[in-house]
Structure formats: C-alpha cells, structure tokens
C-alpha cells in the first residue's frame, strides 16, 4: 500500500461517513457520499497534496484509485 493511499484513506476516514473502509476500486458515485461532502473531500485532498484542482476537474476521478494514481504520477 502506498503512502498516498494511506493519506487518502485517512482523509476519507476522518471526513466522510462511509461506514466502512474505503474501497479504492469502487466508483465514487456509488459510495453514498453527497456531492457537497465530495467537494469538501476534494478540497482537503487539494490541500494535503498541493494539487490546485478545481471542482470540475475532480469529476475525472471515477475511483479513489484513479485519484491515487493521478497524485503519484505528479510526484
């Protein structure tokens, strides 16, 4: 498991009420998280990884694994 994945998992566990460990391969739209909470989550990820993404760009990530891969590719 990558440290990026650990950091994302921590943000999810601390800020999103998904009731279980995050599934990095499940589609985010199927997670049951509201769009408002999802935007707040991406703001936290932006801050944590200094990404500078805007809300519209966050739609490109269908899964948390897509997000992890994007962050690691930028490192």
């Amino acid at each position: 498991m990558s440290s990026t994945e650990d950091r994302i998992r921590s943000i999810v566990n601390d800020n999103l009420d998904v009731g279980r460990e995050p599934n990095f391969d499940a589609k985010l739209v199927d997670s049951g998280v509201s769009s408002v909470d999802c935007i707040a989550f991406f703001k936290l990820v932006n801050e944590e990884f200094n990404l500078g993404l805007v809300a519209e760009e966050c739609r490109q990530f269908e899964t948390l694994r897509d997000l992890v891969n994007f962050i690691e590719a930028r490192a």
Side-chain angles (χ1 to χ4, degrees), residues 13-30:
N13 288 337
D14 291 346
N15 298 282
L16 297 177
D17 186 20
V18 293
R20 64 194 179 291
E21 279 295 307
N23 180 345
F24 281 76
D25 298 309
K27 293 201 180 277
L28 292 172
V29 296
D30 298 334

Side-chain angles (χ1 to χ4, degrees), residues 16-71:
L16 297 177
D17 186 20
V18 293
R20 64 194 179 291
E21 279 295 307
N23 180 345
F24 281 76
D25 298 309
K27 293 201 180 277
L28 292 172
V29 296
D30 298 334
S31 68
V33 176
S34 73
S35 59
V36 171
D37 287 342
C38 200
I39 290 168
F41 166 73
F42 278 109
K43 281 184 171 182
L44 292 168
V45 170
N46 263 332
E47 291 171 14
E48 176 73 20
F49 295 96
N50 197 28
L51 297 176
L53 294 171
V54 296
E56 293 79 26
E57 291 175 300
C58 296
R59 293 185 199 141
Q60 69 182 310
F61 308 112
E62 290 190 17
T63 66
L64 290 174
R65 179 90 48 226
D66 293 341
L67 179 59
V68 168
N69 291 339
F70 174 82
I71 292 167

